[in-house]
Amino acid sequence: MIKGFIFDLDGVITDTAELHYVAWKNLADERGWLFDREVNDKLRGISRTDSMRVILEHNNTSLDEETLAQFAKKKNDIYVASLDGMTPEDYLPGVKELLTNLRIEGFSVALGSASKNAVKVLEQLNAKAFFDVIGDGNSVSKSKPEPDIFLYGAEKLNLQPEECVVFEDAESGIDAAKAGGFHSVGIGPEERLGHADLRFDSMEEATLFEIKSYFKDLF
Ligand code: B16
Ligand code: MG
């Protein structure tokens, strides 16, 4: 039976991709690295350090670990400052309604994000009360496509993976959910999320009614 839901943050609850883009672009321009929205899209769901490596690879460049960490920090300082402008108006359409309905119906809810800034984002949205457990980039060491962040959430909710539905917008996030034995819902295009159990173009379509209709034998 499905008793819990685990949500990715960026691209599912709110769209921080643009803020990540602006912060990386700022750093890239300063360093003279090539960086565009296509490269930014490859950073979806992957950790800050791994994102830095993707950008360096795109520029056929490498850095020692210490310099890489310095640049990643610089990007993060820009990104975190930009989060101050985020408000409770910045949920993706449909998300607040879904989270509210899950609360009304008494489901357990966890966050399962790769971001080390997840708490700050939830605070800006005033969303912390929707979650029983917050799993973020500080909770586990192995990032998606490893299932660790979702296993962390399920364990803290006292649920088995097969009792939880994971919501994800990243290919690596659906890989992680499947590797952990979770039910999965992909938010985004078929080309990226065709391997999810159920997929919607946007969170607006992902109502509790639709989810219950699809997983009907499990409710
Ligand atoms: P931070 P998610 C991910 O969040 C983002 O999609 C990804 O672009 C970002 O690099 C990663 O968090 C790390 O974020 O630099 O704030 O620690 O989609 O897993 O919620
Ligand atoms: Mg995401």
Side-chain angles (χ1 to χ4, degrees):
M1 298 302 283
I2 290 170
K3 298 177 183 163
F5 289 79
I6 306 180
F7 288 86
D8 174 53
L9 179 63
D10 298 335
V12 170
I13 305 283
T14 185
D15 185 15
T16 48
E18 185 62 22
L19 300 179
H20 280 296
Y21 169 76
V22 170
W24 283 123
K25 182 75 180 148
N26 216 296
L27 176 71
D29 286 352
E30 191 192 297
R31 304 308 310 166
W33 298 330
L34 296 173
F35 183 73
D36 54 25
R37 287 178 198 279
E38 208 174 303
V39 181
N40 192 57
D41 204 47
K42 291 186 188 150
L43 310 182
R44 187 184 291 274
I46 70 168
S47 73
R48 198 181 311 157
T49 313
D50 287 347
S51 301
M52 187 80 241
R53 293 203 175 95
V54 169
I55 295 168
L56 292 174
E57 205 171 291
H58 182 70
N59 285 273
N60 295 316
T61 309
S62 61
L63 291 174
D64 62 79
E65 288 300 302
E66 197 181 322
T67 315
L68 188 147
Q70 272 172 18
F71 286 143
K73 180 184 179 309
K74 204 163 186 186
K75 176 267 172 180
N76 192 53
D77 290 344
I78 302 168
Y79 174 68
V80 171
S82 73
L83 291 176
D84 286 335
M86 181 177 271
T87 74
E89 301 294 305
D90 291 321
Y91 287 88
L92 280 169
V95 173
K96 211 170 170 183
E97 292 76 2
L98 176 59
L99 291 170
T100 303
N101 286 331
L102 292 176
R103 269 281 169 264
I104 291 170
E105 298 203 15
F107 288 102
S108 298
V109 181
L111 189 81
S113 167
S115 175
K116 293 188 171 173
N117 299 300
V119 170
K120 163 101 176 154
V121 173
L122 292 183
E123 280 170 355
Q124 294 296 126
L125 293 170
N126 200 14
K128 274 173 84 179
F130 287 124
F131 297 91
D132 301 299
V133 168
I134 295 176
D136 64 12
N138 305 296
S139 308
V140 294
S141 52
K142 282 194 268 172
S143 50
K144 303 164 193 174
E146 297 299 327
D148 299 39
I149 188 64
F150 299 135
L151 293 172
Y152 172 91
E155 195 186 326
K156 293 272 173 194
L157 291 175
N158 271 316
L159 295 176
Q160 296 300 316
E162 62 271 22
E163 295 177 307
C164 303
V165 177
V166 166
F167 279 76
E168 256 295 345
D169 70 310
E171 186 177 354
S172 63
I174 295 295
D175 292 340
K178 296 187 89 149
F182 294 86
H183 303 284
S184 59
V185 176
I187 306 299
E190 171 78 24
E191 309 85 82
R192 191 170 79 221
L193 300 156
H195 55 322
D197 294 331
L198 175 63
R199 186 195 65 78
F200 298 100
D201 288 331
S202 74
M203 280 301 282
E204 211 166 4
E205 297 160 36
T207 61
L208 189 49
F209 177 81
E210 288 292 336
I211 292 152
K212 280 185 171 177
S213 307
Y214 181 81
F215 294 105
K216 52 182 174 301
D217 299 337
L218 297 171
F219 282 95

